[in-house]
Amino acid sequence: MQSSFIEVKNVTYKYDEDVENQVAINNVSLSIEKGSFTVILGHNGSGKSTLAKLLNGMLKPDKGRIVIDGLDTSKTENEYEIRKRLGLVFQNPDNQIICTIVEEDVAFGPENLGIEPKEIRKRVDEALSLVGMSDFAKAAPHQLSGGQKQRVALAGILAMEPECIVLDEPTAMLDPIGRKEVINAITRLNKEKNITVILITHFMEEAENADRVIIMNKGEIVADSEPLKVFSMSDVLKSSGLSLPQTTELLTLLKNGGLNVNSGIISPKGTADEIFSVISGR
Amino acid sequence: MSILKTKNLSFTYPQISSVHHATINDISFSLDSGETIGIIGHTGSGKSTLLQTLNGLIKPDSGMVFLNEKDLWENPKEIYQKRFKVGLVFQYPEYQLFEETAYKDIAYGPKNMGLSDEEIDLRINEYSALLGITEDNLNKSPFELSGGEKRRVALAGILAMEPDVLVLDEPTAGLDPIGRTMLFNAIKEYQIKTNAGVIIVSHSMEDLSKMCDKLLVLSGGEIKKFGSVKDVFLDSAELNNLGLDVPMVTRVMLELKAKGLDIRSDIFTVDEAAKEILNFFSQSL
Ligand SMILES: Nc1ncnc2c1ncn2[C@@H]1O[C@H](COP(=O)(O)OP(=O)(O)OP(=O)(O)O)[C@@H](O)[C@H]1O
Ligand SMILES: Nc1ncnc2c1ncn2[C@@H]1O[C@H](COP(=O)(O)OP(=O)(O)OP(=O)(O)O)[C@@H](O)[C@H]1O
Ligand SMILES: [Mg+2]
Ligand SMILES: [Mg+2]
């Protein structure tokens, strides 16, 4: 019986067979419910991208097992069905964008799924509009700015309409408003269409809407809980090389300074509300 | 003294990617030795294009770039040498990494400058340590590095050329907090040692407020504002219109002010904000 959408059981992965001490993923177990929103944080080289590639079957576990919607990723015959269900947006859009025209590139995924042309047209237009790139449909990818490429790569996966999307730092090159737009779009897909989301990021504040936050450290999961709980684990954060968003940091300083505020808040507005209500005597 | 200056710089890509004009238009600004300027602007506003005119990767259609008061293009055959003086770190580190090992990648620039192997080795060790690149990773192929590890190697490769002007295109994107702090410190240390001018493009208003003397705001390829960090962050509504924002803690202060508290909002760091709020609280008791 499989109750969750993703089951990762005691998975270990090593890039280089020969090197004894270098394990990219070390005995990781994890299960992800359908329709949930999970954020993964962790230092550079902690294994986030490796885990993402293990989930979509690009890499196969050396030890342990990964099952996506009942399909074992180490069986080659499952590859196609897994890609259909789980879409991975790569950390570097250049690794993903292959066609010479933006709209063809976005259509590439759905075409491979055997979707009919009329439906593809509709999905491509919708996906490009969702990421704000409709004006660039006919452009060549090499003519795009860094952030524009990142948006197109995201559109390519959205157009496949997978049940689960894994996003590897999708907002790293976006301006602040663009970042909010993309996070909002992803959150809407999760809430309205029940799409399972796994978001890898270095921006803690993007974890605000998540059901769950996972922290990776040297190939292992060292924390896994709801956002506010994880953000209050200052020892784990510190030993994992992470730092709090400015807002949480500010609230912590105020608390230490004698102001009786709740320090587990992330949004600037929520932070201001909390400070205001304490200052004005609740 | 101005180390890098642009005058009425304009450029349009020969093939335009969309209905929007792919240009930078009439850009004039000046960077002093030892100074750090941050460039902010929405996606597609022309930041990377502007940076590439500064080291001669793109030749402007009109206008001029001056390096140490001399026309960058005075002798087009020597433009290659100018790239040792104006070191540009690309937005995607992959564009810069192609050697067999990370070590060789960092050595690439210094080698082309004609430095001795001994000097190169010294520099690689120095800048790798400064950016937290491990011995293990120096021996790996750049393709075997994680995103943030690649970025560190790309940065080290440019620092190792010890350029007069350091031009960084979103250098903190993909770096973890420790990597970001190391980068800030590396740049500061480098600036103290060499008095280099630094230009940083970034979408992190938090990072820029820590690092920069001045900010330049680009929109649609034009300069919308150029001034001190304080001046630029003062107009948060205008920044929002341009797809940008103020640092998170400034946003908190603005919200508090909007609620009617008589509190300062020209604050960009957490420490300052905490001080101001605690101060306000103790006075209102
Ligand atoms: N193709 C590869 N060959 C060998 N080692 C690799 C390869 N890709 C990654 N590694 C190593 O595996 C470890 C985990 O890398 P991974 O890319 O999963 O990290 P990450 O958490 O995504 O980091 P970042 O935040 O920098 O993107 C790192 O030590 C990295 O050097
Ligand atoms: N090679 C090219 N040919 C044609 N147009 C281009 C080319 N490179 C960039 N452009 C266009 O020029 C504009 C400016 O691009 P640029 O890369 O300078 O933006 P940017 O400010 O760095 O954006 P980002 O924050 O997304 O990196 C964009 O609209 C882009 O589509
Ligand atoms: Mg990664
Ligand atoms: Mg750019």
Side-chain angles (χ1 to χ4, degrees), chain A residues 89-90 93-94 96-108 124 127-159 170 174 182, chain B residues 43 92:
Chain A
V89 183
F90 285 96
D94 285 322
Q96 187 164 328
I97 298 176
I98 34 186
C99 301
T100 53
I101 296 178
V102 165
E103 62 178 5
E104 282 176 12
D105 195 81
V106 178
F108 184 81
V124 169
L128 281 175
S129 143
L130 199 64
V131 301
M133 287 296 292
S134 303
D135 286 346
F136 292 83
K138 308 274 185 225
H142 74 263
Q143 298 177 325
L144 300 179
S145 77
Q148 289 165 347
K149 272 187 201 164
Q150 198 154 32
R151 285 163 179 254
V152 169
L154 175 60
I157 297 300
L158 293 179
L174 299 185
V182 164
Chain B
T43 294
Y92 286 102

Side-chain angles (χ1 to χ4, degrees), chain A residues 145-147, chain B residues 44 46-49 91 169-170 201 203:
Chain A
S145 77
Chain B
K47 303 180 296 298
S48 298
T49 307
Q91 185 165 2
D169 202 348
E170 305 200 19
V201 164
H203 288 304

Side-chain angles (χ1 to χ4, degrees), chain A residues 136 142-148 173 175, chain B residues 13-18 20-24 41-50 52 91 169-170 201 203 218:
Chain A
F136 292 83
H142 74 263
Q143 298 177 325
L144 300 179
S145 77
Q148 289 165 347
M173 295 292 172
D175 58 55
Chain B
Y13 285 103
Q15 286 169 308
I16 293 174
S17 60
S18 84
H20 304 293
H21 263 284
T23 55
I24 50 169
H42 58 80
T43 294
S45 57
K47 303 180 296 298
S48 298
T49 307
L50 173 59
Q52 291 173 68
Q91 185 165 2
D169 202 348
E170 305 200 19
V201 164
H203 288 304
L218 270 189

Side-chain angles (χ1 to χ4, degrees), chain A residues 16 21-22 42-46 49 91-95 135-136 138-140 142-151 169 172-180 202-203 205 238 240-243 245-247 249-250 253-254 257-259 266-269 271-273 275-276 278-280, chain B residues 15-20 41-44 48 91-92 94-95 136-137 140 146-149 151-152 170 173-180 203-206 209-210 239-240 242-245 247-253 255-256 259-261 268-271 273-275 277-278 280-281 284:
Chain A
D16 198 337
N21 55 357
Q22 291 214 357
H43 64 81
N44 292 138
S46 58
S49 299
Q91 184 163 7
N92 179 355
D94 285 322
N95 293 344
D135 286 346
F136 292 83
K138 308 274 185 225
H142 74 263
Q143 298 177 325
L144 300 179
S145 77
Q148 289 165 347
K149 272 187 201 164
Q150 198 154 32
R151 285 163 179 254
E169 304 194 27
M173 295 292 172
L174 299 185
D175 58 55
I177 303 295
R179 253 176 65 198
K180 280 186 200 141
H202 288 293
F203 298 105
E205 56 270 28
K238 200 159 175 220
S240 307
L242 300 180
S243 62
Q246 282 198 334
T247 43
E249 207 184 313
L250 172 63
L253 281 183
L254 293 178
L259 213 54
I266 303 158
S267 79
K269 178 143 194 342
T271 304
D273 289 344
I275 295 170
F276 185 75
V278 169
I279 285 187
S280 52
Chain B
Q15 286 169 308
I16 293 174
S17 60
S18 84
V19 290
H20 304 293
H42 58 80
T43 294
S48 298
Q91 185 165 2
Y92 286 102
E94 285 82 359
Y95 295 174
D136 265 351
N137 283 346
K140 277 192 187 172
S146 79
E149 290 165 350
R151 168 131 354 245
R152 292 169 199 237
E170 305 200 19
L175 285 186
D176 61 23
I178 291 179
R180 282 211 295 275
H203 288 304
S204 166
M205 306 303 146
E206 290 77 16
S209 64
K210 269 186 224 157
L239 285 178
N240 278 170
L242 300 174
L244 305 171
D245 211 343
M248 274 179 109
V249 16
T250 313
R251 176 72 43 213
V252 173
M253 301 309 281
E255 295 272 355
L256 286 173
K259 286 174 187 294
L261 298 191
F268 318 112
T269 66
V270 173
D271 289 340
K275 221 166 104 193
I277 294 169
L278 289 172
F280 178 88
F281 181 61
S284 68

Side-chain angles (χ1 to χ4, degrees), chain A residues 54-79:
Chain A
L54 283 162
L55 291 179
N56 90 332
M58 259 179 81
L59 302 175
K60 318 278 184 210
D62 292 331
K63 285 188 207 142
R65 225 160 75 99
I66 300 181
V67 179
I68 311 288
D69 198 17
L71 301 158
D72 190 327
T73 62
S74 41
K75 297 205 174 96
T76 328
E77 66 265 27
N78 286 341
E79 221 160 75

